[in-house]
Amino acid sequence: MKDNKVKIILAIESSCDETAAAVIKVTGKKPEILSSVVSSQIDIHKQYGGVVPEVAARHHVINILPVIMEALEKAQVNKKNIDLIAVTAGPGLITSLMVGVEAAKALSAAWRVPLLAVNHMYGHIAGNFLQPLKFPAVCLVVSGGHTEIVVLKDHINNKKIGQTVDDAAGEAFDKVAKLLDLGYPGGPIVSAEAEKFKVQNSKSKSNAIKLPRPMLGSQDFNFSFSGLKTAVLYAAQKMSPKERKARTSEICHEFQNAVIDVLVGKTIKAAKKIKAKAVLLAGGVAANKKLRESLREAAESNGFKFAVPEFKLCTDNAAMIGLAAAQIIKKKKVPLDNYKKIVVDCGWELN
Amino acid sequence: MKKKTHSEKETYDLAKDFAKKLKGGEVLCLVGDLGAGKTAFTKGLAAGLGVKGIVTSPTFVLMKIYPVKSSPAGILLETKLFNGVNKANHRIKEMAHIDAYRLKEGQELINIGAEEYFRDKECVTVIEWADRVKEIWPKGCTKIYFKILNGDERVIEVKK
Ligand SMILES: Nc1ncnc2c1ncn2[C@@H]1O[C@H](COP(=O)(O)OP(=O)(O)OP(=O)(O)O)[C@@H](O)[C@H]1O
Ligand SMILES: [Mg+2]
C-alpha cells in the first residue's frame, strides 16, 4: 500500500464506555469526516431487546458490528473502498479494548485491508487535526479518567510531560457534584451551578469560600485534584444543610475556578517552557465552556495560537482515531499482515 | 487492626507497612466515603509492594494493573528492615487497582475480568468502593474500613 493511495479510513474505538466507528476520507493533506457513529446515539438496545449492562464488554460485543455497519452506510462507503482500518489498542480496559481490536483484526484479515493500532489519548489530541496547527504545541487532555499535558513536536511526535497524580479533572467535577447532592454527570451540573453564582451575587462576602489551587506553584507539570475534593467536603461539612443548599452555587463557582486556574496555569507554563507556538485542548472536559474560554484567553494573551475540537470530537468517538491514523500513515507504511502483530495494551502510555 | 491517622502521609505510611505483610493472592476490599483516603492508602500500598510510577484514582477507568518492579536489592533491604516478615514479597508481580464507584452490581466487575486477578496468587487486588459489589467478595478477603472524623483525622480498620 502506498501512502498517497490511501483515501478511506475505517476507525474503530471501544476503550471506554462507548462503542464507536467512523469513516475518514483523506484527500491531499486535508482529512474529512464522512461519518462518526457512537453507540449511545443509536437504539441498539431496542434492536436486541433485554437489558444490556452499562459497563461491560458484552455491551461492546453487541454494539460493535451494528456501529461499524452504520458508519459505513452513513459514509456510503463500500468495504472495497477502504484503504486502512484504524483501531484503539489502549489505554483502557482489556475486555473492552479486545472487542474493538478483535473485530478490526477479523475485518483486516477478511477484507485484506491493513490495520493500524492507535493510542486513545493521541486520538483525543488528533481531534484537533481538522484545523491547521502550528508546532511545537502543548496539548491539555482532560477527561473523566485522564488529565495530561502532552508536548507535540509535530502532528506525530509527542511526549507526555505531566499528568494528575490522583483524581482526573472530570472525576473531581463528578465527585463534587456527588458531595453536594447534585446528581450525575457532575461536569455540566457543577458548571451550571457555578454560572448561577455569577448572576445572583456580585458583591464579595467576607466569609467567601476559598479553595486551594493544588500544585499550581510546583515545578513539574503534574496535577492533583483529590485535595480539592477534600476541601469541598470539609467546607460542606462545616455548613448546616440549609446553608449548604443556599451556598451550593458559590461552592461550585469557586471549585470550577480552582480547577481551571490550575489547568490553565500549568498548561501555559508548559507552553512557555517549550517555547510553543500553539496551545491545544482535548478530551471530554473540553466541553466545559469556562475552561475553553479561559484557556483560549490565556493562550492568546501570551501569544500562542489556540485550538479545541468541536464538541462531538471531544468526548469519546472513533473519528478522532481516524484523524490520528491519517497522520501516522503519512510517515509509516502499514503492511497488509500488520493485524497479526497488534495486541491490546491496557496501559499504553504516550511515549 | 484499628488505627487513627492524622494526615495523608500517615495513611500512606500505614499502608506501606501493611504491604510488607502481604504474600500475594490477597483481595483487599476498601470501604469508606468520598475523600476517606482509599486511594491515598492504595498509593502507600503500591509503594510498599514496589510499584513504580504514579498510582491514580481508577474511578473512571474502573481497573488498572500495575507491575511490581521491586529490584532484588530493594526486596533484600525491605526483608531485613522488617525482620523477614515478608520474605515472600518477591512473589507478588502485580497490583490490581479496581474501583466500583461507578458500578451498579458485582456482575459488571466480573464482566471486565476482575476475577482473574482475585484468583492470582502473584497479584494483590485492591477494590475501592467495595461495598457496592459485596455479592462478589471472594471468600477470605480482607475488609478495610475508612472513617472520616474531624478534619484530617481518619480511622482505618482492617478486618479479616
Ligand atoms: N488522615 C488522612 N488519611 C488519608 N487522606 C487524608 C487524611 N487527611 C486528609 N486526607 C486527604 O483526604 C483525601 C483522600 O482522598 P482519596 O482520593 O485518597 O480518598 P478516596 O477514599 O479514595 O476517595 P474516593 O471515594 O473519591 O475514591 C486527600 O485529599 C488527602 O490529602
Ligand atoms: Mg479513591
Side-chain angles (χ1 to χ4, degrees):
Chain A
M1 185 192 70
K2 285 236 177 65
D3 292 354
N4 54 10
K5 260 174 65 189
V6 174
K7 292 273 190 284
I8 302 289
I9 300 171
L10 169 65
I12 300 168
E13 148 76 42
S14 71
S15 67
C16 305
D17 300 356
E18 292 279 14
T19 325
V23 178
I24 306 294
K25 181 179 168 190
V26 191
T27 25
K29 268 193 164 176
K30 218 173 135 48
E32 183 191 341
I33 299 169
L34 295 185
S35 70
S36 179
V37 177
V38 176
S39 57
S40 58
Q41 296 167 341
I42 53 173
D43 212 346
I44 289 166
H45 294 203
K46 224 185 230 160
Q47 211 172 311
Y48 281 83
V51 187
V52 182
E54 214 177 290
V55 185
R58 216 188 76 139
H59 168 86
H60 289 299
V61 170
I62 290 171
N63 286 336
I64 190 87
L65 284 179
V67 165
I68 292 172
M69 292 314 159
E70 174 122 348
L72 291 175
E73 206 170 295
K74 271 197 174 153
Q76 302 205 331
V77 159
N78 187 284
K79 63 174 198 258
K80 288 193 203 84
N81 306 124
I82 299 170
D83 298 288
L84 180 88
I85 303 173
V87 68
T88 307
L93 286 173
I94 184 151
T95 45
S96 299
L97 286 164
M98 255 167 55
V99 176
V101 167
E102 291 308 314
K105 281 185 186 178
L107 295 178
S108 169
W111 294 350
R112 307 190 130 272
V113 175
L115 178 65
L116 178 69
V118 174
N119 179 296
H120 178 78
M121 300 308 290
Y122 177 60
H124 272 301
I125 296 169
N128 279 298
F129 292 172
L130 278 178
Q131 50 205 312
L133 298 174
K134 293 211 159 155
F135 295 99
V138 164
C139 186
L140 171 68
V141 194
V142 261
S143 65
H146 301 272
T147 305
E148 300 183 351
I149 294 183
V150 179
V151 168
L152 292 129
K153 229 175 83 191
D154 48 45
H155 280 99
I156 301 164
N157 288 296
N158 59 71
K159 191 179 166 63
K160 182 173 87 182
I161 59 164
Q163 65 162 87
T164 181
V165 299
D166 40 55
D167 298 1
E171 174 182 354
F173 271 90
D174 266 324
K175 289 188 169 169
V176 162
K178 176 84 183 170
L179 285 171
L180 301 173
D181 290 321
L182 296 176
Y184 185 90
I189 303 176
V190 170
S191 297
E193 278 294 329
E195 289 288 316
K196 279 190 213 162
F197 179 70
K198 256 195 281 177
V199 183
Q200 290 169 359
N201 264 312
S202 44
K203 48 179 186 267
S204 61
K205 286 185 196 161
S206 58
N207 69 337
I209 291 157
K210 210 61 201 118
L211 296 173
R213 281 17 182 196
M215 293 182 81
L216 184 56
S218 74
Q219 285 309 301
D220 55 21
F221 297 105
N222 287 339
F223 300 100
S224 166
F225 292 110
S226 95
L228 205 43
K229 162 183 75 185
T230 313
V232 170
L233 169 74
Y234 291 174
Q237 265 178 346
K238 279 194 208 116
M239 296 175 189
S240 68
K242 207 175 141 202
E243 186 189 2
R244 210 189 69 186
K245 222 170 157 208
R247 299 184 76 180
T248 292
S249 64
E250 184 189 354
I251 302 175
C252 290
H253 181 79
E254 171 64 3
F255 166 76
Q256 177 165 277
N257 282 348
V259 173
I260 292 175
D261 281 353
V262 183
L263 290 175
V264 171
K266 283 261 158 114
T267 307
I268 297 297
K269 194 175 106 180
K272 284 180 180 164
K273 166 108 187 270
I274 68 138
K275 300 191 168 62
K277 294 217 167 71
V279 168
L280 318 179
L281 180 59
V285 180
N288 182 303
K289 222 172 84 194
K290 182 87 193 290
L291 172 62
R292 279 202 329 270
E293 282 167 6
S294 306
L295 190 57
R296 175 190 299 279
E297 220 180 276
E300 287 174 353
S301 68
N302 280 286
F304 307 119
K305 287 244 170 241
F306 177 76
V308 59
E310 62 175 306
F311 282 144
K312 56 179 198 287
L313 279 175
C314 287
T315 47
D316 287 343
N317 67 89
M320 66 186 200
I321 301 303
L323 291 173
Q327 291 298 335
I328 296 170
I329 55 170
K330 279 187 189 167
K331 291 273 156 70
K332 199 167 108 181
K333 216 175 121 112
V334 186
L336 199 53
D337 66 347
N338 201 39
Y339 71 88
K340 290 179 186 164
K341 287 181 225 135
I342 289 176
V343 281
V344 166
D345 185 354
C346 300
W348 191 359
E349 295 265 3
L350 284 176
N351 291 14
Chain B
M1 183 191 80
K2 191 169 176 173
K3 276 234 164 92
K4 196 192 261 183
T5 66
H6 306 83
S7 67
E8 179 172 350
K9 172 86 168 53
E10 254 185 68
T11 296
Y12 180 95
D13 290 340
L14 178 80
K16 201 170 161 184
D17 278 355
F18 180 78
K20 321 275 173 182
K21 297 186 197 127
L22 301 174
K23 297 186 168 60
E26 290 90 350
V27 177
L28 312 178
C29 296
L30 275 44
V31 178
D33 287 336
L34 277 174
K38 301 177 294 296
T39 302
F41 184 91
T42 310
K43 279 171 170 283
L45 197 87
L49 290 174
V51 167
K52 295 278 173 303
I54 303 170
V55 172
T56 53
S57 167
T59 296
F60 270 79
V61 297
L62 303 181
M63 176 165 75
K64 243 183 135 173
I65 312 300
Y66 295 90
V68 167
K69 282 191 188 143
S70 238
S71 66
I75 284 165
L76 243 135
L77 189 72
E78 279 165 11
T79 316
K80 258 191 215 149
L81 273 175
F82 289 88
N83 212 9
V85 181
N86 192 19
K87 280 221 173 78
N89 199 348
H90 61 278
R91 272 190 45 208
I92 301 174
K93 297 207 167 98
E94 281 177 330
M95 181 184 86
H97 190 189
I98 298 172
D99 196 327
Y101 180 77
R102 297 200 300 139
L103 303 183
K104 284 182 208 76
E105 51 179 35
Q107 186 58 40
E108 291 180 291
L109 271 194
I110 310 283
N111 290 345
I112 63 167
E115 269 184 325
E116 203 181 300
Y117 297 97
F118 297 178
R119 283 192 298 264
D120 190 341
K121 290 282 170 268
E122 296 185 333
C123 178
V124 170
T125 304
V126 186
I127 311 175
E128 294 194 36
W129 288 97
D131 46 325
R132 304 211 166 187
V133 292
K134 265 195 182 130
E135 69 276 17
I136 61 149
W137 285 9
K139 239 205 237 141
C141 66
T142 305
K143 283 80 95 180
I144 309 183
Y145 296 93
F146 296 76
K147 265 217 181 72
I148 305 175
L149 300 183
N150 284 320
D152 287 348
E153 274 180 11
R154 306 284 192 271
V155 170
I156 299 166
E157 187 175 7
V158 181
K159 282 186 187 163
K160 249 293 171 200

